[in-house]
Amino acid sequence: MKVAFLGTGLMGLPMAQRLLAANIELIAYNRTPEKLTPLQAAGAEIAVKPRQAIRAADCIILMLSNAAAIYHLLLTDTSWHALSGRSVIQMGTIAPIESQEIRNAVVAAGGEYIEAPVLGSIPEAETGQLIVMVGGEREQYERHVNLLSHFGPNPVYVGEVGSASSLTLALNQLIASLTTSFALSLAFVQLQGIDTELFMRVLRESKLYAPTFDQNLSRMLHGNYTQANLPTKQLIKEIDLFISEAKSLGLNLSSIEGVKYILQSAMKMSYPEDDYSSVFPAIREWGEAGGD
């Protein structure tokens, strides 16, 4: 099988590298050609246009920023007509309805479509430890599970197209809410003069503990938010998707809307590409951050 990989950004690059390391024939496309250099050096074929990658492959993996980018690269007239007989695996974070609409367009072109969004960030992408969630027909899952296992050891079948997208949004909501809550408690104990390590020791011994707290602690204590595992702007995009979907279900969204406000404050204080753990200074320096 020859795989086309569209979108080699922060997550897409290490994912594509894992396919090459497994001796899977790969053709790659990225809107910014410079980001393809490591893949080309590792033996990947480079496509100048998306349709070139699509026509050359049996399976197309999408790791793009949003649904608009998918429409722009995959569903233009020239690319859409090339989808016949090919499998499309959508692995980015988009809304359930967007995934279903893209599925319909791919099927209308004579191709097949599954969604396989992931939970994890760059370190997990590099080591093949992502949690892969699959939406589609069970038979499609069975046919593609070996390929998806290069990204995570146990791809999980969730249900029909849209269900894996929904599950991913629920988990991303937890990422944002847990990190913001931890940052608030950390800032509180610091300003109360309580030793940070004492706070962490008690927390680690409790049922409240989550490993993500320690993963973000060093960044928060040292103010190092560069080389993001998950950029703030990306998390805000995913929270917006969650809020839109949850609003249609009639859920009380006051807590996550507060989290979104803090994320937006972090954006004002730093670059959008900084790590989402930068919610800490947005909370710690709230007056400066913009309680306007």
Side-chain angles (χ1 to χ4, degrees):
M1 176 177 11
K2 186 172 185 179
V3 174
F5 206 106
L6 307 186
T8 58
L10 290 176
M11 292 286 288
L13 176 59
M15 291 170 68
Q17 288 171 325
R18 289 198 59 81
L19 296 182
L20 287 172
N23 295 316
I24 292 173
E25 191 176 3
L26 188 75
I27 180 169
Y29 171 82
N30 194 75
R31 186 178 59 179
T32 306
E34 293 77 17
K35 294 183 178 180
L36 294 166
T37 302
L39 294 177
Q40 187 172 30
E45 182 182 348
I46 301 304
V48 178
K49 298 287 187 181
R51 64 178 178 271
Q52 177 188 346
I54 293 167
R55 289 171 179 166
D58 307 294
C59 176
I60 300 102
I61 293 178
L62 307 176
M63 197 62 186
L64 299 166
S65 57
N66 52 39
I70 295 173
Y71 274 92
H72 179 69
L73 296 188
L74 191 74
L75 300 178
T76 59
D77 285 343
T78 52
S79 295
W80 182 76
H81 288 294
L83 294 176
S84 180
R86 293 171 172 81
S87 299
V88 175
I89 304 178
Q90 197 298 111
M91 301 194 72
T93 303
I94 59 176
I97 186 64
E98 292 172 331
S99 189
Q100 292 163 349
E101 289 173 349
I102 293 166
R103 184 267 319 273
N104 294 343
V106 170
V107 170
E112 70 165 346
Y113 173 94
I114 63 173
E115 59 181 10
V118 299
L119 180 67
S121 55
I122 295 171
E124 291 78 24
E126 292 174 339
T127 58
Q129 295 299 312
L130 294 167
I131 296 175
V132 182
M133 295 157 280
V134 183
E137 299 298 326
R138 169 69 74 168
E139 178 270 335
Q140 291 177 304
Y141 165 80
E142 298 292 348
R143 279 192 289 111
H144 293 94
V145 68
N146 288 339
L147 177 63
L148 295 172
S149 294
H150 292 293
F151 308 124
N154 298 298
V156 179
Y157 179 67
V158 182
E160 63 185 16
V161 170
S163 61
S165 294
S166 294
L167 180 55
T168 305
L169 293 182
L171 293 167
N172 285 331
Q173 187 278 143
L174 270 178
I175 291 173
S177 294
L178 280 174
T179 303
T180 305
S181 293
F182 172 69
L184 179 59
S185 289
L186 179 61
F188 179 80
V189 297
Q190 284 183 339
L191 293 173
Q192 292 285 18
I194 298 169
D195 180 68
T196 299
E197 186 49 45
L198 173 63
F199 163 65
M200 291 304 301
R201 189 173 79 230
V202 173
L203 178 58
R204 292 183 190 114
E205 293 174 357
S206 76
K207 293 183 179 180
L208 299 172
Y209 178 72
T212 188
F213 298 157
D214 267 311
Q215 292 170 5
N216 288 312
L217 179 64
S218 179
R219 284 186 183 270
M220 292 178 178
L221 293 181
H222 297 100
N224 178 18
Y225 307 111
T226 60
Q227 297 180 317
N229 285 331
L230 175 59
T232 305
K233 68 175 184 179
Q234 179 70 19
L235 186 54
I236 289 178
K237 183 211 83 169
E238 294 170 1
I239 293 307
D240 278 336
L241 290 174
F242 174 86
I243 289 174
S244 177
E245 190 72 15
K247 189 173 294 183
S248 68
L249 300 174
L251 297 175
N252 186 328
L253 300 174
S254 56
S255 62
I256 191 60
E257 285 171 345
V259 168
K260 178 183 173 181
Y261 180 78
I262 294 170
L263 285 165
Q264 290 172 328
S265 297
M267 289 267 285
K268 294 177 184 177
M269 295 177 65
S270 60
Y271 296 106
E273 288 77 15
D274 279 358
D275 192 80
Y276 70 102
S277 55
S278 60
V279 294
F280 179 66
I283 291 171
R284 182 79 160 71
E285 305 165 33
W286 184 254
E288 180 185 344
D292 53 356

